[in-house]
Amino acid sequence: EVTKRGERFFARIFNPDGSEAEMCGNGLRIAAKFLSDHGYTIENDFVIETIAGPVNTEVFRRGGRVYAVRLDMGRASVTRSIRTLEVGGVKLDVTVISVGNPHCVIFGEPLTRERLFTLGPLVERHAKFPDRINVQLAQAEARDRARMLVWERGAGHTLASGTSACAVAAACYDRGLVDGKL
């Protein structure tokens, strides 16, 4: 749901289970393209407000249509007080991080759908996260590349998540597993 407030836009983001998300990178890119392509704004730079705060948005046009969108996702914030998480008697190596919405990036686990489908729901609803959390199984493949599988809070297994990509990149960088650019 996108509404105009003055010269700013406000986006509310709902998960398939009806819960409201603070932020959704892919959803905001879609909203920015829609707003631009349908004449709600002619600006190349504008702001979309979310419940996580304002998101600076830049659209790139060719032939009058948007072909790319860049969002300023802000600075990632790591929760240093949680480095391990016990789930089913097993201690997981995690980085808990926010990029406007909460993420628990799990390292050291096999990147398999089976492992994601086992851990995802348990970590999403873990007692340490009363508002639930997005979950990623992640590994750095090289100094410039990481892989992940995503369990999205309120949605389950997801094939594309902009905020998850940002969270995994930031978590890998925080651990010194990747260089400054992925």
Side-chain angles (χ1 to χ4, degrees):
E1 171 187 340
V2 179
T3 57
K4 190 169 183 178
R5 292 187 179 171
E7 288 305 310
R8 290 183 162 217
F9 300 94
F10 184 82
R12 291 185 68 194
I13 302 147
F14 294 93
N15 293 315
D17 72 353
S19 63
E20 190 167 6
E22 302 89 344
M23 174 76 72
C24 176
N26 289 343
L28 291 176
R29 288 182 326 132
I30 292 165
K33 179 172 173 39
F34 176 85
L35 292 168
S36 298
D37 282 350
H38 293 277
Y40 292 96
T41 183
I42 59 169
E43 301 297 325
N44 290 330
D45 298 292
F46 54 95
V47 173
I48 300 176
E49 298 278 351
T50 69
I51 59 176
V55 177
N56 294 322
T57 305
E58 183 178 9
V59 296
F60 301 88
R61 292 183 175 88
R62 185 180 300 137
R65 302 281 294 175
V66 173
Y67 70 90
V69 176
R70 179 181 297 149
L71 303 175
D72 179 353
M73 297 299 288
R75 184 173 291 277
S77 173
V78 177
T79 302
R80 302 262 179 232
S81 61
I82 303 173
R83 295 306 250 168
T84 61
L85 192 69
E86 190 167 325
V87 175
V90 175
K91 280 193 175 182
L92 301 174
D93 179 19
V94 303
T95 297
V96 176
I97 196 162
S98 175
V99 292
N101 60 353
H103 296 265
C104 182
V105 181
I106 303 170
F107 291 93
E109 289 295 317
L111 263 69
T112 65
R113 286 174 48 104
E114 294 77 23
R115 197 67 180 139
L116 179 70
F117 279 68
T118 298
L119 290 176
L122 298 174
V123 174
E124 174 190 2
R125 297 179 180 280
H126 193 280
K128 288 200 183 226
F129 312 119
D131 295 325
R132 300 186 299 163
I133 198 163
N134 296 297
V135 182
Q136 298 80 30
L137 300 182
Q139 68 182 185
E141 290 187 319
R143 298 295 304 169
D144 65 346
R145 189 171 51 255
R147 291 186 56 208
M148 69 177 177
L149 292 174
V150 178
W151 185 270
E152 213 168 71
R153 172 182 64 162
H157 178 239
T158 301
L159 296 176
S161 171
T163 59
S164 290
C166 293
V168 167
C172 286
Y173 181 76
D174 184 65
R175 287 173 171 242
L177 301 174
V178 297
D179 296 325
K181 292 196 176 216
L182 283 182

